[in-house]
Amino acid sequence: MEGKITARKIAYAAVIVAMLAILFYSFLLQVHELAIKPSDIAQAGGARFYENFVYNSSDKIPNSCLVFSYDPTLFNIVGRSSVQYYYLYNQSFIGKVSAEYKCLVIDYGYWCGTPGNICKQAFSEYKTSPIATATYSQTNFKYGFYRIIGYNFS
């Protein structure tokens, strides 16, 4: 009986060793991806450019403005009031914040360059004036902050 217990323990140990070897091997297959510099990741260049644009140009947005952005937290970090982009299309909300803020600003940022975004609609509905813009040369995408100066009526 003692021999069967030892054989069973050896079998369990072999299974555990095999599982650990598989986990270790799968880790080794991924190690080269851990060494990629963040700036070499396809998406990272545009996102980092946009983030730096916000950090370097947000001071051109008056403190009395409300920014509509896909990334309101980024604007809150630099001391600007900001809400999610989709509120731009809620006329009741626009009426309320227009009484509180002296100006409304559209952030045409990184997520405006992705499929299915709701950014271009803003320029159909509102007349705007650029506050600051910058073009990311890798994709020729133009980021910008645009002050809303009126409505486009169709």
Side-chain angles (χ1 to χ4, degrees):
M1 186 137 241
E2 202 171 295
K4 288 183 181 180
I5 292 173
T6 303
R8 186 177 288 165
K9 286 181 180 179
I10 291 172
Y12 285 142
V15 168
I16 290 172
V17 168
M19 288 174 37
L20 289 173
I22 291 169
L23 287 172
F24 183 71
Y25 179 70
S26 65
F27 173 76
L28 285 178
L29 292 175
Q30 302 299 316
V31 166
H32 72 281
E33 292 189 25
L34 296 174
I36 295 174
K37 292 189 294 183
S39 59
D40 291 339
I41 299 171
Q43 299 171 345
R48 280 190 168 56
F49 181 88
Y50 166 66
E51 183 179 25
N52 288 327
F53 170 67
V54 172
Y55 289 147
N56 296 324
S57 301
S58 61
D59 62 334
K60 296 175 181 164
I61 300 171
N63 288 333
S64 59
C65 295
L66 178 65
V67 179
F68 293 87
S69 175
Y70 267 108
D71 195 355
T73 304
L74 191 55
F75 286 91
N76 295 151
I77 289 170
V78 295
R80 297 298 180 269
S81 298
S82 184
V83 295
Q84 282 291 330
Y85 210 103
Y86 63 85
Y87 283 115
L88 190 57
Y89 305 111
N90 180 327
Q91 291 306 311
S92 173
F93 183 81
I94 294 295
K96 290 176 188 174
V97 297
S98 292
E100 186 177 341
Y101 292 92
K102 294 188 180 195
C103 74
L104 304 178
V105 174
I106 296 169
D107 166 36
Y108 199 79
Y110 176 77
W111 294 105
C112 292
T114 61
N117 70 73
I118 57 173
C119 301
K120 289 182 182 171
Q121 179 184 345
F123 296 98
S124 298
E125 293 190 21
Y126 297 101
K127 291 179 183 176
T128 62
S129 174
I131 296 172
T133 61
T135 301
Y136 179 55
S137 62
Q138 301 276 348
T139 59
N140 209 27
F141 187 82
K142 185 177 181 180
Y143 298 104
F145 307 141
Y146 298 88
R147 186 176 188 150
I148 295 174
I149 56 174
Y151 293 96
N152 287 324
F153 298 104
S154 49

